[in-house]
Amino acid sequence: MISRETLPVILLTSIVALVLSILPLPGWLPVIRPAFLVLTVLYWSTMAPFVAGMALGFFGGLALDVFQGSLLGEHALALSFLTYLALRLNLLTRAKPIFEQSLYVLVALLAYELVLWLIDGWTGRSLSSPLRWVHTLVGALLWPVVVGVLGRFHTAR
Amino acid sequence: MAGFGTSIGRPIYGRGPSPGLRFTVYAVLSLTLMNLDQRAQWSQRIRYGLEAAAYPVQVAVNSPLAAWHWMTDSFSTRSTLTKQNTELRDQVQQLQIAVLRQQALEQENSQLRELHAALPPLIKKWMVAEVIGVDSGMLRQRLIINKGKHHGVELNEPVIDATGILGQVAHIGPWSSEVILITDPEHAIPVQVARTGLRTIAVGAGNTDELLLPYLAANSDVKSGDLLTSSGLGGVFPAGYPVGRITGVRREANQLLAQVRAAPQAKVDRTREVMLIEFDPANPAAPPAPEILAEASAPPPPVNAAANANADEDASAPRAKPKAKEKDKGKSKP
């Protein structure tokens, strides 16, 4: 189990992921950009559920709301829901082979985007295009890379 | 085996409240925030504070791009600088000629309007702001600029560049503000076809080079290449500023409305500096002040009835009322 000493690492990687999430990109790149912060939060709440709890999800989501100018609390709700799923199911998913984990990640990202989509629809905030679902697939495909990169920041599993 | 079921619900090595309880707390918190942000006014203050906290990060995230622009600017060669200089000189001369012509026109205009004094200048105050961030969401078309409340930016202030209208201020932070572009699908701008004077509304399409005009009838007189200018209705944008140019008109036999597309005139995706403008309400070209609009729409029933009466010439019943009024007026006169 990961000890509390990883907390600075968790915060640092989350901030880097947040910057990657809001970095202005040209052309079609925003469409295929994976939700870096969501993947990072998902990783830490699966691997270190008692260090990076739901607070990370909530405040990370709130940061996304502020920077993306969406309805305040929208991403916060979606990301705390995602952390909740990860906390409940981490015993189930963390020991699985990496490609099976990717499938779980796909489902989790779809659930995350579904929450956002529903809130967008209810509040009439913005039109939605089918392209908004693309990043879930990219994120799931990128999951092995996320595990490879973030796994270097801690030793014990 | 028996312990397996409980270990999912209640982790053996856990401490603190269960995930379900914590999730409920955070969910209620987010839902409250959303509700406040959607309805209440004072949540603007939370957003204001959060935007202040976000400003350094926005600057930091934008710094690689800014550094690149600075590099290319400072290492540009002598020949490009000379070329740019001559181009700018040419431009200044052309603008000076245009200004001379405009002064004459303004004088003539005030004479035609039988005003003794010259009209006040349309633009009361203007401010140049630098773009420090682009909202890269898929359909969202927003800019973050480096001027905020401390510089005197106000909500719904029009934002233009040298070629046309860009958008308006949507959120204000202390040192930065968010601009919603005319190409954002949540934005609509009242426009007028310059050639015919036809008024309609242009809605953003969600990408940087397209506007949609969804409310034009199939038989309306528009064609590709027509210039769209702001109509001055709606109380935000002044009249007569270029908005876009129509790029395509599609009419189908079974559709009541034409499908009209336009390209924004302003360089929505290439601009690095934008201009915020504030208008003098005394000038006739300025958008009407919100108070006037509120007054105009305050007593709706009589106004609407009169409007209907004028529009529907076939309906006899509504027409009777204005006639009666005229009679009354005639009677009251001696």
Side-chain angles (χ1 to χ4, degrees):
Chain A
M1 217 182 96
I2 297 168
S3 67
R4 285 205 153 260
E5 281 149 27
T6 24
L7 190 60
V9 175
I10 291 175
L11 291 179
L12 200 70
T13 48
S14 301
I15 289 172
V16 172
L18 174 67
V19 169
L20 285 177
S21 297
I22 58 173
L23 203 65
L25 290 178
W28 277 81
L29 285 176
V31 176
I32 57 165
R33 159 170 36 201
F36 287 105
L37 182 63
V38 179
L39 289 173
T40 311
V41 168
L42 194 62
Y43 179 84
W44 288 120
S45 49
T46 309
M47 294 302 170
F50 296 98
V51 186
M54 228 169 280
L56 182 70
F58 179 77
F59 288 108
L62 207 59
L64 277 182
D65 284 328
V66 173
F67 285 112
Q68 301 192 342
S70 49
L71 190 61
L72 214 55
E74 181 180 358
H75 286 86
L77 178 66
L79 209 50
S80 9
F81 178 60
L82 193 79
T83 351
Y84 169 70
L85 287 183
L87 292 186
R88 286 301 292 263
L89 301 176
N90 76 81
L91 295 177
L92 213 75
T93 55
R94 62 200 284 187
K96 291 284 194 302
I98 197 95
F99 294 108
E100 210 179 320
Q101 279 186 15
S102 277
L103 276 182
Y104 282 113
V105 170
L106 179 63
V107 173
L109 287 175
L110 283 174
Y112 167 80
E113 196 60 43
L114 183 72
V115 173
L116 293 181
W117 185 67
L118 288 176
I119 296 173
D120 275 352
W122 275 327
T123 54
R125 272 246 149 180
S126 96
L127 301 177
S128 80
S129 93
L131 291 178
R132 67 184 299 162
W133 303 95
V134 172
H135 85 85
T136 59
L137 202 62
V138 179
L141 291 175
L142 210 70
W143 181 250
V145 182
V146 173
V147 172
V149 172
L150 293 181
R152 285 172 185 273
F153 290 104
H154 62 92
T155 44
R157 267 216 159 191
Chain B
M1 266 297 165
F4 186 64
T6 54
S7 74
I8 289 180
R10 205 153 23 90
I12 11 170
Y13 45 80
R15 50 172 180 262
S18 75
L21 182 63
R22 274 184 290 161
F23 175 61
T24 315
V25 171
Y26 283 123
V28 168
L29 206 57
S30 336
L31 287 172
T32 320
L33 269 178
M34 273 189 264
N35 227 330
L36 290 175
D37 200 26
Q38 184 84 332
R39 300 218 179 99
Q41 282 297 314
W42 63 265
S43 78
Q44 290 289 335
R45 263 184 251 164
I46 306 181
R47 212 172 238 290
Y48 183 81
L50 287 174
E51 247 155 60
Y55 178 61
V57 184
Q58 280 163 347
V59 170
V61 166
N62 190 53
S63 60
L65 196 69
W68 171 249
H69 284 313
W70 182 81
M71 283 252 294
T72 49
D73 277 357
S74 45
F75 288 99
S76 52
T77 58
R78 192 189 156 84
S79 64
T80 46
L81 283 179
T82 327
K83 204 179 139 200
Q84 220 174 26
N85 206 337
T86 31
E87 271 174 23
L88 287 174
R89 266 171 213 270
D90 277 357
Q91 230 172 12
V92 165
Q93 267 179 350
Q94 282 172 10
L95 287 175
Q96 272 173 341
I97 294 167
V99 164
L100 285 178
R101 180 92 190 103
Q102 201 206 347
Q103 276 172 349
L105 284 174
E106 262 175 15
Q107 220 162 23
E108 194 183 323
N109 194 6
S110 61
Q111 276 169 4
L112 285 174
R113 286 173 190 270
E114 293 176 5
L115 292 171
H116 297 297
L119 285 172
L122 173 60
I123 296 173
K124 198 163 74 178
K125 194 183 80 187
W126 57 275
M127 195 190 319
V128 174
E130 214 171 302
V131 177
I132 56 164
V134 180
D135 195 335
S136 43
M138 248 163 281
L139 284 167
R140 294 171 60 80
Q141 301 274 315
R142 314 270 169 132
L143 295 177
I144 314 286
I145 54 171
N146 70 343
K147 292 277 151 69
K149 193 168 190 180
H150 284 262
H151 307 94
V153 177
E154 275 165 48
L155 204 62
N156 297 341
E157 214 165 65
V159 180
I160 61 170
D161 75 355
T163 46
I165 291 182
L166 271 175
Q168 57 176 299
V169 176
H171 287 293
I172 308 181
W175 303 285
S176 63
S177 14
E178 189 187 301
V179 174
I180 178 167
L181 295 173
I182 52 171
T183 48
D184 190 293
E186 287 178 42
H187 192 273
I189 171 171
V191 293
Q192 197 165 20
V193 179
R195 183 172 57 88
T196 57
L198 181 69
R199 276 193 299 270
T200 182
I201 289 172
V203 184
N207 55 42
T208 50
D209 51 5
E210 207 170 40
L211 292 168
L212 301 175
L213 281 74
Y215 309 113
L216 280 174
N219 61 356
S220 50
D221 181 15
V222 283
K223 63 184 184 199
S224 204
D226 277 353
L227 181 71
L228 297 172
T229 59
S230 52
S231 70
L233 302 178
V236 173
F237 296 103
Y241 275 70
V243 174
R245 205 169 271 284
I246 290 179
T247 52
V249 183
R250 254 180 66 195
R251 296 182 172 93
E252 281 171 30
N254 58 350
Q255 297 274 329
L256 285 174
L257 299 173
Q259 290 173 11
V260 185
R261 288 163 188 280
Q265 197 80 351
K267 296 188 180 82
V268 168
D269 53 344
R270 275 159 291 168
T271 187
R272 271 162 61 196
E273 273 177 347
V274 300
M275 218 186 285
L276 292 147
I277 40 183
E278 196 180 298
F279 297 99
D280 195 334
N283 190 300
E291 303 91 61
I292 299 173
L293 288 176
E295 266 173 39
S297 60
V303 170
N304 284 349
N308 286 341
N310 290 337
D312 276 357
E313 296 209 335
D314 298 10
S316 53
R319 261 177 96 186
K321 280 180 186 172
K323 273 186 181 172
K325 271 183 189 171
E326 281 168 17
K327 276 179 189 172
D328 285 349
K329 272 182 189 171
K331 276 179 187 171
S332 65
K333 275 182 185 176

